[in-house]
Amino acid sequence: MTSFVEVTHDGHVGTLTINRPDKLNALSQEVLSDLSSAIEALAANDGVWAAVLTGTGKAFVAGADIAAMKDMTEGEGLEFGALGHRVFAAIENLRCPVIAAVNGFALGGGCELALACDFIYASSKAKFGQPEVNLGIIPGFGGTQRLPRRVGSAAARELIYTGKMINAAEALRLGLANAVFEPDDLLAAAMKTAAEIASKGPLAVAAAKRLIRDGVDLPLPEANRLEQAAFGEAFGTEDQREGMGAFLEKRAPAFKGA
Ligand code: COA
């Protein structure tokens, strides 16, 4: 059976492409399950040091699958939300950074999916929003929590309460997207940044990701203690010897992730 999520590799960069264009890549249980398998495969592959997540066609992801949700009971809604949370947490918990290359609509679960990635590059045609209130529900895959942490409480409240769509320029202004590219340049730009990240010491990048993720909700002294411990651990790696040795020998480092 073909998967709704295509996985490709280019050197140390992995790319996940959500492929259900006739339904604007809407997240059904099947799509979430395929995404979960793709993330597990990425997590198990020590050779992937950075990743890009994108969608096929005119959408990144236009949300959770409304047709599939329409007749859900309260219990089924709870389970579906839990599934989305598990899959998105698995992205956040991947060792390597993930760049969301938002090629089009990133609405509802699509915006939440992009927020579970490390940062967002957007096509100039991208549209973002949390339109759940239009459907009588709330964001259920982390939107009420990750959006305010990314853009601030007031901007997130306005987006979530109105359900309005914003364009890429507005997403950039809010700090939701890091950069905006012409549609044809988006994937190449995301791949270039992913390749740049993958050229660094992968254990160091992974530790930085973990510290930023885990530290953000902790009191500063506690978060700083996590950094101190991880900084010390970096000196137990071959990559630290290689990186500093290469600098002093005026050559490019050859990191091994060890
Ligand atoms: N769930 C299920 N199906 C969806 C979907 C979703 N979230 N978003 C789009 N689709 C389907 C449409 O039903 C349509 O299917 P059909 O061809 O069988 O009728 C197909 O994808 C194409 O979408 P369409 O609405 O015709 O495209 P459009 O360009 O006119 O509009 C959007 C694009 C994104 C504005 C519109 O599809 C939309 O509002 N989608 C829902 C967004 C949303 O509320 N997401 C949050 C869900 S919690």
Side-chain angles (χ1 to χ4, degrees):
M1 213 181 76
T2 54
S3 171
F4 285 117
V5 181
E6 195 182 310
V7 183
T8 55
H9 295 274
D10 182 0
H12 287 299
V13 177
T15 302
L16 305 186
T17 306
I18 302 182
N19 192 14
R20 194 195 181 197
D22 56 322
K23 296 290 180 190
L24 306 190
N25 302 326
L27 301 173
S28 60
Q29 233 139 9
E30 294 75 22
V31 176
L32 282 171
S33 156
D34 287 349
L35 185 56
S36 175
S37 304
I39 293 159
E40 268 175 35
L42 220 59
N45 186 341
D46 287 344
V48 176
W49 294 355
V52 172
L53 174 63
T54 193
T56 302
K58 70 176 180 182
F60 174 69
V61 164
D65 190 321
I66 299 168
M69 288 188 294
K70 181 178 165 294
D71 293 323
M72 280 183 185
T73 62
E74 209 175 317
E76 288 164 345
L78 184 70
E79 263 178 45
F80 189 55
L83 172 65
H85 271 279
R86 272 200 305 280
V87 177
F88 290 10
I91 296 176
E92 235 168 22
N93 291 334
L94 274 172
R95 267 185 318 274
C96 72
V98 182
I99 303 172
V102 174
N103 50 299
F105 294 109
L107 302 174
C111 190
E112 292 167 304
L113 176 59
L115 284 164
C117 297
D118 287 83
F119 56 86
I120 296 170
Y121 278 4
S123 151
S124 56
K125 289 207 173 133
K127 296 266 193 292
F128 296 83
Q130 296 289 162
E132 288 87 349
V133 291
N134 294 327
L135 303 166
I137 60 168
I138 58 162
F141 295 167
T144 63
Q145 303 310 310
R146 291 195 182 95
L147 188 61
R149 282 166 170 76
R150 186 70 61 92
V151 302
S153 180
R157 283 167 198 247
E158 187 176 342
L159 282 170
I160 291 171
Y161 301 164
T162 64
K164 71 179 175 185
M165 259 194 248
I166 58 168
N167 63 21
E170 181 66 358
L172 182 66
R173 194 186 67 76
L174 290 175
L176 178 55
N178 273 18
V180 178
F181 301 90
E182 287 306 310
D184 288 346
D185 299 336
L186 172 68
L187 201 56
M191 291 297 292
K192 185 166 176 242
T193 298
E196 187 183 348
I197 292 169
S199 73
K200 313 299 175 188
L203 298 180
V205 171
K209 170 172 177 164
R210 177 171 54 79
L211 289 164
I212 293 168
R213 181 194 65 214
D214 294 348
V216 74
D217 294 319
L218 294 177
L220 187 60
E222 207 179 313
N224 273 337
R225 274 195 292 277
L226 291 183
E227 188 193 79
Q228 284 175 49
F231 184 70
E233 282 166 16
F235 288 82
T237 67
E238 287 179 36
D239 281 352
Q240 176 267 334
R241 295 280 182 270
E242 171 60 16
M244 294 190 178
F247 174 82
L248 294 171
E249 290 160 25
K250 302 188 191 304
R251 61 173 175 83
F255 292 117
K256 290 199 222 134

